[in-house]
Amino acid sequence: MRNIEHFINGKLVTGSSGRHGDVFDPNTGKVQARVALANAAELDLAVQSAAAAQPAWAAVNPQRRARVMMEFVRLLEAHKEELSALLASEHGKVLSDAHGDVQRGLEVIEFVCGIPQLQKGEYTQGAGPHIDVYTAYQPLGVVAGVTPFNFPAMIPMWMFGPAIATGNAFILKPSDRDPSTSLRLAELMLEAGLPPGILNVVNGDKEVVDAIVAHPQIKAVSFVGSSDVAQAVYAAGASHGKRMQCMGGAKNHGIVMPDADLDQVVADLMGAAYGSAGERCMALPVVVPVGEATANALRAKLLPAIKALKVGLSGDPGAHYGPLVTAAHKARIEGYIQLGVDEGAELVIDGRGLKIPGHEAGFFLAPTLFDHVTAKMKTYREEIFGPVLQIVRAESFEEALALPSRHQYGNGVSIFTRNGDAAREFADRVEVGMVGINVPIPVPVSYHGFGGWKRSGFADLNQYGMDSVRFFTRTKIITQRWPRDGEEVQSSFVIPTM
Ligand code: NAD
């Protein structure tokens, strides 16, 4: 059995805690590797190596730090197939989608190649007599990131890219369900010229996350995962005086106005609801047609499109999506499907019971569709995170606008319409962090930023974009005065004013 270890101070390090987790092949349902689960002592080893290496890295001029990132981009391009296959083998997403996972992370690395410009401070000459003021954005020191299973390449890069480019050392704790990609990314960063100790990967579960949040030398923690954990990690980190950003779960709605192009909407919904088996925080699992006629027409067009979807092995180029990540996750989603029936929603297409010949034990679930879902239902209020699309019928624009606005999650939302006024009104008033107008998955580009509202994001600053540069640096404001020779020396007892 293959063992997945830690990466500390530029080397693979065997776990010593005696605890391991199973990593599955979701296509076969079999355990393919054992991942070491670190304890606080192993974390401390990584923190000490990071703390020792960080001052010299922070002293490297930003142009040279950027060059390491540029070389890393080149290596990511060269290893894209390998990285995609590696992450697909543990996650279960199809290869074309795995390419996107790597590419999206790469784009954040491209963004931080501009770190000499992005981290540049501000300067005011002559703020007072012989006085100049300047602002410096200094790295925090040792910082950490805790990532979810669903984007094993992209989300680690969202975090360590900006953290390292700004001069910090980073401890990455990837998901224990698909940890191998993080180790490979760390090796490639070393190959790109990063000094040992600046990027460490410590595998583990709650035990090591608790240790990260409490470790006195870790100054900031970036977390992405489910909301209950995000909120608990946020609170614990804040109680230790750390800077925290904790992104949580989602339940994104797609509002379909009566004037929308329904063929386009259905085409968009297939990828947004069922792509990656719905295991995306920017998936679109709730569609809200406005008006009875829109709902009936949409449903009629959805049925054949859903039936034409192909679920297959993650390596099958003809498959639209692959298996779910684990048997436990599959069982959880099946539980929600049963709950939807029990709550009185109409189960229009039931995806349970799918078997792929030769891979009967794989974690496959066919696309599922519910109609007549209401806002009171638990299956609506909670995140399912699987290939399940729910139709919630609304009578008016106002009713449709209220649904995502009142939902506990506020990650993404989309409106499909040909009416610019309605779209503008919706974007202005909806209480959600990322809005799409005729865009089903409104994931912002790398030079903007990523973050939801309400229980989707316990954070003041978003992932990537300029917010990430601010998150991983602290601002120092220097007021300097160089008196002229012979200037009169005198005390002042009033607060300096301009
Ligand atoms: P998860 O919350 O189970 O795990 C996330 C991370 O936290 C993992 O590294 C895990 O090992 C660790 N963890 C798990 N339980 C913990 C605990 N009790 N205490 C401390 N750490 C713990 O999430 P997941 O199942 O890996 O990922 C799916 C979730 O992530 C979904 O809810 C999805 O919406 C969310 N997500 C959010 C975003 C976003 O940016 N908002 C992006 C991707 C995924």
Side-chain angles (χ1 to χ4, degrees), residues 363-437:
F363 310 140
F364 297 96
L365 189 61
T368 296
L369 178 69
F370 276 105
D371 195 357
H372 299 288
V373 174
T374 69
K376 289 203 178 76
M377 292 178 183
K378 195 167 181 234
T379 48
Y380 168 78
R381 296 195 316 269
E382 297 184 0
E383 179 184 46
I384 297 176
F385 219 56
V388 180
L389 178 62
Q390 298 172 297
I391 303 175
V392 181
R393 295 171 176 237
E395 282 177 13
S396 65
F397 172 82
E398 286 299 327
E399 193 185 328
L401 172 71
L403 283 163
S405 296
R406 289 188 188 148
H407 202 280
Q408 63 163 327
Y409 296 119
N411 215 39
V413 71
S414 297
I415 184 166
F416 299 92
T417 181
R418 291 184 170 101
N419 180 333
D421 182 37
R424 192 176 176 284
E425 171 96 359
F426 181 82
D428 187 33
R429 288 172 57 200
V430 72
E431 292 191 33
V432 171
M434 293 172 280
V435 182
I437 297 171

Side-chain angles (χ1 to χ4, degrees), residues 146-151 155 158 173-177 204-206 209-210 223-227 229 233 247-250 280-281 383 385 411 450 456:
V146 178
T147 56
F149 81 85
N150 67 324
F151 280 99
I155 296 182
W158 280 7
K173 204 304 278 176
S175 169
D176 47 325
R177 286 179 256 176
D205 55 6
K206 181 180 188 310
V209 176
D210 289 346
F223 173 97
V224 177
S226 52
S227 288
V229 181
V233 167
M247 276 56 192
R280 290 184 186 139
C281 71
E383 179 184 46
F385 219 56
N411 215 39
F450 184 105
S456 296

